[in-house]
Amino acid sequence: MKIWLVIVVCVTALASCKKENEVKCEPALDAPFNLILPSHFPPIEFPEDNELTEKRVELGRRLFYDTRLSADNSISCGSCHQQASAFSDNLSISEGIEGRVGFRNSPTLGNVAYQERLFGEGGVPNLEIQILAPIGDENEFDHDVVIIEAELQADPILNNLSLIAYDRDIDIYSITRAIACFERTMITGGSPYDKHVLGEESLTEDALAGMELFYSEELACGTCHSGHNFTDGGFHNIGLYEIYEDAGRFRITSDEEDKGKFKTPSLRNIEETYPYMHNGSIQTLEEVIDHFSTGGLGHINQSELVVPLELTTLEKSQLLAFLTSLTDLEFLMNPELTPLN
């Protein structure tokens, strides 16, 4: 989407955040949401004006799967972010209303609560603002927030939830914040790798060998794919192309050195979030490993960490075994994240 859209999105959201709209939750009707984090995860910093509550999460859950957010009532957030695919959609480029082709591959929403900058170029600062982008994008929902508000205010279930959760009729303020609340409950940390870290079970020999390779000084995969969520949150050019049609981080900074740089994706559930890269141009994990083994195509801004590795067939299979150990089946089937009737 265009930079001007991001700017409009930010201005629109900020305009709605006036003091007279401060949240006033009724304790008797709403209660804090008990979000259970894996013991090896750090705490989440929630916005002061949008702490998790039961009704906010329920409202967001209903809205996340509500097709009325799109102009022709055909798609929802859940169309491009499907739970079985770790809240991605397995298309190279996601499709909007009327089959319109979008701009990029849909990223996973697993552990999105920990992300500070959203979209591949990092142009949106938080989840509350993010939802406005697909609503207004002509290749996604292509809808008008005024029309959305009027239609949803006529829905007694949603409007009542908004009154309880945000002390106001449902509007773009409560819509964006409720969806953000629900998305922050998408915590994934129950993979075989996590159980190994916690001492609950052991990884296979191949996965252990792959983990050693992953964190080795020679491969240095863990430099960018670091921390509990396997991302440094930074922006890197991995030499995917000699000339990038999508300029990535440059779209925000206008710095020539940022051309072709994209935010490091999380590797959690990577087995289920194919195809890969910002444009879905690589179909399999085996091909991703091959790309890094050959050292990229040598773009002028290519990261110095992307160098020829000349991995053996065995090493590639071991890396693959480690990456697939990051799949959290409980997350993919968590009933608390499915659509509500």
Side-chain angles (χ1 to χ4, degrees):
M1 61 200 63
K2 307 296 184 183
I3 294 179
W4 62 263
L5 175 58
V6 175
I7 295 173
V8 170
V9 163
C10 293
V11 171
T12 303
L14 289 173
S16 69
C17 299
K18 298 179 180 179
K19 287 189 176 180
E20 60 264 32
N21 290 333
E22 287 181 352
V23 176
K24 297 179 181 179
C25 288
E26 180 61 52
L29 297 175
D30 205 355
F33 184 87
N34 183 26
L35 182 63
I36 300 175
L37 299 177
S39 60
H40 57 304
F41 276 26
I44 296 171
E45 295 184 12
F46 298 102
E48 291 184 2
D49 67 342
N50 202 27
E51 296 278 354
L52 296 192
T53 70
E54 293 284 350
K55 297 303 182 184
R56 289 177 181 179
V57 171
E58 180 184 346
L59 176 59
R61 184 176 176 182
R62 292 181 181 276
L63 290 168
F64 185 86
Y65 293 106
D66 199 321
T67 59
R68 288 174 293 184
L69 295 185
S70 63
D72 63 357
N73 295 340
S74 65
I75 62 171
S76 68
C77 304
S79 299
C80 297
H81 299 283
Q82 301 168 15
Q83 184 177 4
S85 301
F87 292 98
S88 63
D89 66 1
N90 299 140
L91 296 176
S92 292
I93 304 294
S94 298
E95 296 180 355
I97 64 170
E98 301 173 345
R100 300 175 193 175
V101 179
F103 183 49
R104 291 197 181 126
N105 179 259
S106 288
T108 176
L109 295 182
N111 295 336
V112 71
Y114 290 100
Q115 293 191 31
E116 296 181 354
R117 293 172 290 188
L118 303 168
F119 296 142
E121 68 272 33
V124 175
N126 58 55
L127 287 170
E128 282 76 9
I129 291 176
Q130 181 275 328
I131 184 57
L132 290 170
I135 287 176
D137 192 298
E138 64 181 1
N139 289 322
E140 295 187 57
F141 293 0
D142 195 21
H143 212 357
D144 186 318
V145 295
V146 175
I147 297 174
I148 293 173
E149 288 177 340
E151 186 170 4
L152 297 187
Q153 284 171 8
D155 184 318
I157 294 177
L158 295 185
N159 202 59
N160 187 54
L161 281 170
S162 182
L163 286 168
I164 297 172
Y166 292 102
D167 195 23
R168 59 199 294 152
D169 289 324
I170 192 166
D171 59 7
I172 198 61
Y173 180 93
S174 58
I175 290 169
T176 56
R177 281 151 184 79
I179 292 176
C181 281
F182 175 57
E183 290 177 336
R184 290 190 176 105
T185 70
M186 297 178 179
I187 300 299
T188 173
S191 69
Y193 162 81
D194 294 292
K195 293 173 182 177
H196 171 77
V197 169
L198 295 172
E200 297 174 359
E201 63 180 52
S202 296
L203 291 176
T204 65
E205 289 186 8
D206 279 347
L208 285 171
M211 183 169 68
E212 185 175 351
L213 283 168
F214 185 90
Y215 288 111
S216 68
E217 184 176 345
E218 180 184 5
L219 270 63
C221 307
T223 302
C224 299
H225 294 286
S226 58
H228 74 286
N229 206 31
F230 290 88
T231 173
D232 61 357
F235 302 87
H236 306 278
N237 181 317
I238 61 169
L240 190 60
Y241 299 106
E242 293 179 341
I243 299 175
Y244 281 79
E245 292 183 5
D246 184 342
R249 183 67 174 164
F250 173 83
R251 290 160 51 84
I252 301 300
T253 66
S254 297
D255 185 339
E256 289 290 328
E257 293 186 357
D258 283 338
K259 281 188 174 179
K261 291 184 178 181
F262 293 87
K263 187 174 66 175
T264 306
S266 169
L267 296 184
R268 287 193 170 274
N269 301 296
I270 193 70
E271 179 183 16
E272 304 297 334
T273 61
Y274 59 89
Y276 306 102
M277 306 303 166
H278 66 278
N279 57 357
S281 58
I282 297 184
Q283 296 298 312
T284 68
L285 275 177
E286 289 87 347
E287 292 174 278
V288 172
I289 293 172
D290 284 341
H291 169 77
F292 285 102
S293 180
T294 57
L297 296 180
H299 187 276
I300 189 173
N301 294 332
Q302 181 172 310
S303 170
E304 60 183 14
L305 294 173
V306 181
V307 296
L309 300 172
E310 299 180 356
L311 297 171
T312 66
T313 300
L314 176 60
E315 288 172 330
K316 290 179 181 180
S317 67
Q318 291 170 335
L319 277 173
L320 183 63
F322 172 62
L323 292 174
T324 56
S325 79
L326 302 178
T327 301
D328 179 359
L329 295 179
E330 295 175 4
F331 173 67
L332 303 181
M333 298 183 289
N334 184 349
E336 298 300 317
L337 301 176
T338 59
L340 287 167
N341 294 327

